[in-house]
Amino acid sequence: MADKNEKGRYVQTFGRKKTAVALAFVKKGKGLIKINGTPVEHLQPEILRFKIYEPVLTLGKDKFSQVDIRVKVRGGGYVSRVYAIRQAISKGLVAYYQKFVDEAAKKEVKAALIAFDRSLLVADPRRCEPKKFGGRAARARFQKSYR
């Protein structure tokens, strides 16, 4: 009976940046973080790997030691994928603490993440503006000529 109860104890959250969407599954475990089935330690480029570690470093390893996080990401480029991943991880941890730990711990985690960087929990609404007629880009116009 205990196995059946433990099986459904996970939360699913998403993070977005431009056209990249990351889906995070957070469940009880031993501190694994996998992105598209690959451990986060193997993620390239190395500079962007530190952006993914920001929620872990902000909250401390003790908050992540009892959860496993699996992230699926698609769309966008390298940088927007990384920002979507870090947002999904942060939102997932907050949701996990709210659902399975307690409200006080959730408020503590959320306050720490927002104090560090608000974009860890709040999506960036900026999108690429569509091109219009009369120019080569969204706002740029063709040069005017009188002859």
Side-chain angles (χ1 to χ4, degrees), residues 80-96:
S80 60
R81 277 183 173 216
V82 166
Y83 276 85
I85 290 166
R86 72 200 278 264
Q87 188 180 73
I89 289 172
S90 302
K91 286 169 75 175
L93 197 71
V94 169
Y96 182 85

Side-chain angles (χ1 to χ4, degrees), residues 2-109:
D3 302 330
K4 196 174 186 182
N5 194 16
E6 287 294 316
K7 193 172 186 180
R9 289 179 59 92
Y10 73 93
V11 291
Q12 179 180 339
T13 56
F14 65 90
R16 285 197 174 120
K17 174 75 172 165
K18 294 186 181 178
T19 57
V21 179
L23 194 62
F25 299 92
V26 183
K27 63 178 185 174
K28 189 173 178 159
K30 53 183 187 286
L32 280 173
I33 300 177
K34 286 193 170 187
I35 291 140
N36 289 343
T38 311
V40 73
E41 295 84 33
H42 298 293
L43 191 77
Q44 292 295 329
E46 192 175 340
I47 297 293
L48 293 177
R49 193 181 312 152
F50 292 112
K51 289 303 265 185
I52 293 176
Y53 279 128
E54 280 179 357
V56 179
L57 298 173
T58 304
L59 297 172
K61 294 241 184 213
D62 58 318
K63 298 268 194 253
F64 284 86
S65 61
Q66 66 261 20
V67 294
D68 284 349
I69 302 172
R70 286 184 165 66
V71 182
K72 293 179 183 175
V73 64
R74 59 189 321 174
Y78 289 124
V79 176
S80 60
R81 277 183 173 216
V82 166
Y83 276 85
I85 290 166
R86 72 200 278 264
Q87 188 180 73
I89 289 172
S90 302
K91 286 169 75 175
L93 197 71
V94 169
Y96 182 85
Y97 269 74
Q98 181 178 11
K99 194 170 181 182
F100 301 120
V101 184
D102 64 341
E103 194 67 26
K106 173 232 159 184
K107 283 186 179 177
E108 180 186 313
V109 167

